[in-house]
Amino acid sequence: MSSSVSPLAPKHVPEMPVIAGVRLATAEAGIRYKNRTDVLLAVMDKGTAVAGVFTKSKCPSAPVEWCRAKLKGGKARALVVNSGNANAFTGKTGRASTALTAKIAAKAVGCSESEIFLASTGVIGEPLDATKFDGVLGRLAETAEPGDYLAAAKAIMTTDTFPKVATATVKLGKAKVTINGMAKGAGMIAPDMATMLSFIFTDAPIAPAALQALLKSGVEDTFNAVTIDGDTSTSDTLLAFATGAAAEHGAPKISRASDPRLKAFVKAFNQILANLSEQVARDGEGARKLVEITVEGAKTKASARKIAMSIANSPLVKTAIAGEDANWGRVVMAVGKAGEPADRDKLSISFNGIRVAKSGARDPSYDEAQVSDAMKAPEIAIKVSLGLGRGRDRVLTCDLTKEYVAINGDYRS
Amino acid sequence: MSSSVSPLAPKHVPEMPVIAGVRLATAEAGIRYKNRTDVLLAVMDKGTAVAGVFTKSKCPSAPVEWCRAKLKGGKARALVVNSGNANAFTGKTGRASTALTAKIAAKAVGCSESEIFLASTGVIGEPLDATKFDGVLGRLAETAEPGDYLAAAKAIMTTDTFPKVATATVKLGKAKVTINGMAKGAGMIAPDMATMLSFIFTDAPIAPAALQALLKSGVEDTFNAVTIDGDTSTSDTLLAFATGAAAEHGAPKISRASDPRLKAFVKAFNQILANLSEQVARDGEGARKLVEITVEGAKTKASARKIAMSIANSPLVKTAIAGEDANWGRVVMAVGKAGEPADRDKLSISFNGIRVAKSGARDPSYDEAQVSDAMKAPEIAIKVSLGLGRGRDRVLTCDLTKEYVAINGDYRS
């Protein structure tokens, strides 16, 4: 496991305000890790709306199946997250484990089991002993405070090297509402979803269906546009909770995502998603470079996305960037293998604003020294212009380093 | 570039017999490498049939486009291969370069330019100076001899750590015919094709259309079932040449691939393809483990292939194997992300014959020490049983090591 903080970590960690109607607490349940918190309990006031999007894996974890089923009720009273064990591919034991965790949590919080949401992250395939939550969750429910979002973000980390939080305050009607978010990465990350776990909290009074629509639309160009290694987790979970507490000081109750009063809120909400998903890319396992890939001139946005993802997931492109090598030939390779419309002789490619290839050949003004110098930057922007249409998209990834191999070669040992 | 030979290299290199009607010669043209051969000329007798399959990249190299066009004639007199520069994404210069190379070769051999076949491997995007072949090809045509196939295989290497050859002798009718093959890897290898360059020579009298059908069918479970890094080259080329010289000592002339007299030949031909493609996997960049992935019980063979490739291309599976970690949870993840029908609770997984997961959970008899011990072997067989149908497939890959990152992080520098 990596011990030093990623050089790409944000320089500034925001002060996280309180969200009315949300209380947090963390503990050391000793599920896997020693001497660190590994359980988060978030308690929400009655009437909290919940929305969620999950991994598209055909083999999802037991908590993902639990949340999907409970989402139909649209209401949440508590979220229990543990790190260290994903409770994925644990069969009947896994289902029993989620049921028991929910039972313990419901008792601790004083609500129905169907208002409990669960997320687990860590090793796949090992039974999760839910009895470890017994006692712990009761204590957490008693001590939960409006709180410490940074501590919460720390408790859900696995191979992350820094906790990921973001916040925004925005007007809804004439009232001020707040949105807080947290996320954890850092490997097995590819659409769709791009992070293993992320949670958003707001005091805005937004009905479940509207919140679900916002979330579904918001992830498309944020969490679903990030890839670390092309590997999709069995556990990817993004949940949003809206307590509605801001209604008390005049925020209008929103029932439709298309409500024009939501405009500023939607913008801020999407910025939080973008911020958190970028932090996930910045903390990709072993990452030393943040890589932004923009594809323009594609036939469609979907085609641009597919090509951008082909580049972002190419081991050869990613290792070249790790080696600070502007090996644009590998970008051509990745465009070619995407299977989408592309005309080699119309292709242009730039690295950090320096055009290296134009109309299917090396740019006449290509200066290797200049490009090599640009590749030393911690952030690399690759732009590919296909010259075919107006489809455009952008995805984020990171480089592929020896550290990635080291982290993943002995994750379990 | 790697200097030490892969530990997975075959222990035995076969004696390569002569193929009547084929003469070979190699030289140092100084295209990129120093102090090693980098050009191969194979001269074939009149009447030689040719067949080929190529990369499916939308951005193929200039030599691939050249060969595709010339294949229509069905006849070959010479093959020119260079290593060090792929002549890919070189625009008009690239096309001019292939045309000039063919012109020089045609003059040297004394044939039509349309009977010249070309292949280039190496860096993408750098202009290939074909004038370097001037003089060299003439000299090679004069000195070409029936044969040193091992020297030829050496001349076409890039990051390969060992030359790859295979041979078989088999009856066609009552006559003995010979098949020789060579291949080079070692990165940017994924279907379809799985090797960058491979060439097969035989003295069997097989018509172009029949040879093409054999090749197309033969690659499906050999070269197209190998992946190193999921990256498809712009240059992948597999050409087969049949001189027909064996007709002189009684081999029947074959015009259809379905000819029953071909049975033994087809078997040997496919074994050569399997042998060479396995050598490519054994020489994957940085590889320390050969990994065979078998998926059975899928809905269809195509579905099994897709799931097997999802496992084979997963960085997390590959790094776990590098770390000798039987992390079957990552196999589950890769099954889940393939998007193919899979039922988590019917899934069984074994590593080197030891079942680790059964019916969607850890095998009750799972013994970590036993499995860990098995993971130390240089060859790892992963078997996934989906329990859904009769679809079965098998692919080969290798592990993902720090050396892969090192090789590809400074390939150009």
Side-chain angles (χ1 to χ4, degrees):
Chain A
M1 215 153 304
S2 196
S3 52
S4 57
V5 173
S6 165
L8 305 170
K11 302 291 172 249
H12 172 73
V13 179
E15 281 290 329
M16 299 293 288
V18 157
I19 303 270
V22 179
R23 291 175 299 127
L24 304 172
T26 59
E28 298 181 17
I31 289 160
R32 176 177 195 88
Y33 305 122
K34 303 287 170 215
N35 305 318
R36 58 156 279 191
T37 55
D38 57 0
V39 183
L40 162 66
L41 175 71
V43 184
M44 274 78 70
D45 283 355
K46 278 183 189 166
T48 295
V50 60
V53 289
F54 303 93
T55 179
K56 287 182 183 158
S57 172
K58 300 277 179 184
C59 301
S61 68
V64 165
E65 289 190 330
W66 175 275
C67 287
R68 275 204 180 108
K70 302 311 169 205
L71 214 52
K72 291 178 185 108
K75 295 290 172 188
R77 286 300 310 285
L79 165 71
V80 181
V81 189
N82 75 274
S83 56
N85 185 318
N87 193 16
F89 206 58
T90 42
K92 282 180 193 165
T93 322
R95 284 189 287 277
S97 177
T98 51
L100 179 57
T101 309
K103 194 177 170 187
I104 296 169
K107 193 179 164 202
V109 173
C111 67
S112 149
E113 286 167 28
S114 65
E115 295 169 304
I116 302 291
F117 286 77
L118 304 172
S120 297
T121 173
V123 172
I124 301 176
E126 290 190 5
L128 173 62
D129 179 9
T131 61
K132 289 202 176 178
F133 297 127
D134 212 358
V136 172
L137 294 183
R139 208 161 60 240
L140 289 179
E142 281 167 21
T143 58
E145 289 192 352
D148 192 339
Y149 285 85
L150 197 62
K154 280 178 185 164
I156 66 172
M157 284 164 58
T158 54
T159 55
D160 303 68
T161 72
F162 60 87
K164 297 161 190 69
V165 292
T167 183
T169 299
V170 69
K171 280 279 177 75
L172 181 60
K174 287 180 179 162
K176 199 180 76 172
V177 299
T178 304
I179 312 170
N180 280 0
M182 68 180 81
K184 60 125 347 232
M188 202 182 283
I189 283 174
D192 313 279
M193 297 281 297
T195 189
M196 295 178 82
L197 303 181
S198 181
F199 309 106
I200 313 289
F201 301 88
T202 179
D203 53 358
I206 302 179
L211 192 63
Q212 183 68 35
L214 290 190
L215 200 59
K216 202 177 163 204
S217 147
V219 295
E220 199 44 47
D221 288 328
T222 58
F223 280 105
N224 281 356
V226 171
T227 180
I228 300 301
D229 49 19
D231 276 346
T232 303
S233 164
T234 55
S235 309
D236 297 327
T237 299
L238 168 55
L239 293 168
F241 302 95
T243 67
E248 286 170 28
H249 50 90
K253 293 194 179 178
I254 304 292
S255 57
R256 291 177 306 112
S258 59
D259 192 316
R261 291 171 296 181
L262 263 187
K263 200 178 166 195
F265 181 90
V266 170
K267 193 178 167 193
F269 186 82
N270 288 345
Q271 276 170 352
I272 297 258
L273 297 179
N275 181 321
L276 290 173
S277 58
E278 180 177 319
Q279 287 191 59
V280 167
R282 286 180 176 275
D283 203 13
E285 288 172 338
R288 291 296 172 269
K289 307 266 189 196
L290 178 70
V291 185
E292 179 190 55
I293 294 158
T294 307
V295 173
E296 59 181 27
K299 287 269 190 191
T300 61
K301 177 178 159 74
S303 180
R305 169 68 60 97
K306 215 167 158 193
I307 292 170
M309 278 294 175
S310 176
I311 298 167
N313 282 324
S314 159
L316 288 169
V317 170
K318 292 161 89 83
T319 49
I321 292 166
E324 302 190 335
D325 175 7
N327 195 323
W328 54 273
R330 295 183 183 172
V331 176
V332 179
M333 175 281 299
V335 171
K337 81 164 178 166
E340 290 295 308
D343 179 343
R344 190 188 64 193
D345 297 338
K346 287 182 177 168
L347 218 52
S348 293
I349 298 169
S350 72
F351 284 85
N352 280 2
I354 305 169
R355 196 173 59 195
V356 292
K358 188 193 165 192
S359 307
R362 192 159 74 183
D363 194 289
S365 66
Y366 181 83
D367 174 354
E368 176 117 16
Q370 182 201 22
V371 180
S372 292
D373 205 52
M375 294 304 288
K376 296 193 176 97
E379 299 185 7
I380 303 293
I382 302 178
K383 192 182 214 172
V384 176
S385 303
L386 297 174
L388 297 179
R390 300 168 67 86
R392 189 181 187 283
D393 203 24
R394 163 193 177 269
V395 306
L396 290 177
T397 188
C398 57
D399 55 346
L400 171 56
T401 65
K402 291 177 196 170
E403 288 71 29
Y404 176 90
V405 179
I407 292 166
N408 287 298
D410 29 62
Y411 178 75
R412 293 210 317 176
S413 28
Chain B
M1 214 153 303
S2 195
S3 52
S4 57
V5 173
S6 166
L8 305 170
K11 302 290 171 254
H12 172 73
V13 179
E15 281 290 330
M16 298 294 289
V18 158
I19 303 271
V22 180
R23 290 175 300 127
L24 305 171
T26 60
E28 298 181 16
I31 288 161
R32 177 176 194 89
Y33 305 122
K34 304 289 171 214
N35 305 318
R36 58 156 277 190
T37 55
D38 58 0
V39 183
L40 161 67
L41 176 70
V43 183
M44 274 78 70
D45 282 356
K46 278 184 191 165
T48 295
V50 60
V53 291
F54 304 92
T55 179
K56 286 182 184 160
S57 171
K58 300 278 179 184
C59 300
S61 68
V64 166
E65 289 190 332
W66 175 274
C67 288
R68 275 203 181 110
K70 302 312 170 206
L71 214 52
K72 291 177 184 108
K75 295 289 171 189
R77 287 298 311 285
L79 164 70
V80 181
V81 190
N82 75 274
S83 56
N85 185 317
N87 193 17
F89 207 58
T90 43
K92 283 179 193 167
T93 322
R95 285 188 287 276
S97 176
T98 51
L100 180 56
T101 309
K103 194 177 169 187
I104 295 168
K107 195 179 161 202
V109 173
C111 67
S112 150
E113 287 167 27
S114 66
E115 294 169 305
I116 302 292
F117 286 77
L118 304 172
S120 297
T121 173
V123 172
I124 301 177
E126 290 190 7
L128 173 63
D129 180 8
T131 62
K132 290 203 175 177
F133 297 126
D134 213 358
V136 172
L137 294 183
R139 209 161 59 240
L140 289 179
E142 280 167 21
T143 57
E145 290 192 350
D148 192 340
Y149 284 84
L150 198 62
K154 280 179 185 164
I156 65 172
M157 285 164 58
T158 54
T159 55
D160 303 68
T161 72
F162 60 87
K164 297 161 189 69
V165 292
T167 184
T169 300
V170 69
K171 280 277 177 77
L172 181 59
K174 288 180 178 161
K176 199 180 77 173
V177 299
T178 305
I179 313 170
N180 280 359
M182 68 180 82
K184 62 132 335 242
M188 200 182 283
I189 282 175
D192 315 274
M193 298 278 299
T195 190
M196 296 178 80
L197 303 181
S198 182
F199 309 106
I200 313 289
F201 301 88
T202 179
D203 53 357
I206 302 179
L211 192 62
Q212 183 67 35
L214 290 190
L215 201 59
K216 203 177 163 205
S217 146
V219 295
E220 198 45 48
D221 288 328
T222 57
F223 280 106
N224 280 357
V226 172
T227 180
I228 301 301
D229 49 19
D231 276 347
T232 304
S233 165
T234 56
S235 310
D236 296 328
T237 298
L238 167 55
L239 293 169
F241 301 95
T243 67
E248 287 169 28
H249 50 91
K253 293 194 180 179
I254 304 292
S255 57
R256 290 176 306 111
S258 58
D259 192 317
R261 292 170 296 179
L262 264 187
K263 200 177 166 195
F265 182 91
V266 169
K267 193 178 168 194
F269 186 81
N270 288 345
Q271 275 170 352
I272 296 258
L273 297 179
N275 181 322
L276 290 172
S277 58
E278 179 177 319
Q279 288 191 58
V280 167
R282 286 180 176 276
D283 203 13
E285 288 172 337
R288 292 295 172 268
K289 308 264 190 198
L290 178 70
V291 185
E292 179 190 56
I293 294 159
T294 306
V295 173
E296 58 180 29
K299 288 267 190 190
T300 61
K301 177 178 159 75
S303 181
R305 170 69 60 98
K306 216 168 158 193
I307 291 170
M309 278 294 175
S310 176
I311 299 167
N313 282 323
S314 159
L316 288 170
V317 171
K318 294 160 87 84
T319 49
I321 292 167
E324 303 190 334
D325 176 9
N327 195 323
W328 54 272
R330 295 183 183 172
V331 176
V332 179
M333 175 282 298
V335 171
K337 81 164 179 166
E340 290 295 309
D343 180 342
R344 190 189 63 194
D345 298 338
K346 288 182 177 168
L347 219 51
S348 293
I349 298 170
S350 72
F351 283 85
N352 280 1
I354 305 168
R355 196 173 61 195
V356 291
K358 187 194 165 192
S359 307
R362 191 159 74 184
D363 194 289
S365 67
Y366 182 83
D367 174 354
E368 177 117 16
Q370 181 201 23
V371 180
S372 292
D373 205 52
M375 295 304 288
K376 295 194 177 98
E379 300 185 7
I380 303 293
I382 302 178
K383 191 181 216 172
V384 175
S385 303
L386 297 174
L388 298 179
R390 301 169 67 86
R392 189 179 186 284
D393 203 25
R394 164 193 177 268
V395 305
L396 290 177
T397 187
C398 57
D399 55 345
L400 171 56
T401 65
K402 291 178 196 171
E403 288 70 30
Y404 176 89
V405 179
I407 291 165
N408 287 298
D410 28 64
Y411 179 74
R412 294 211 315 177
S413 30

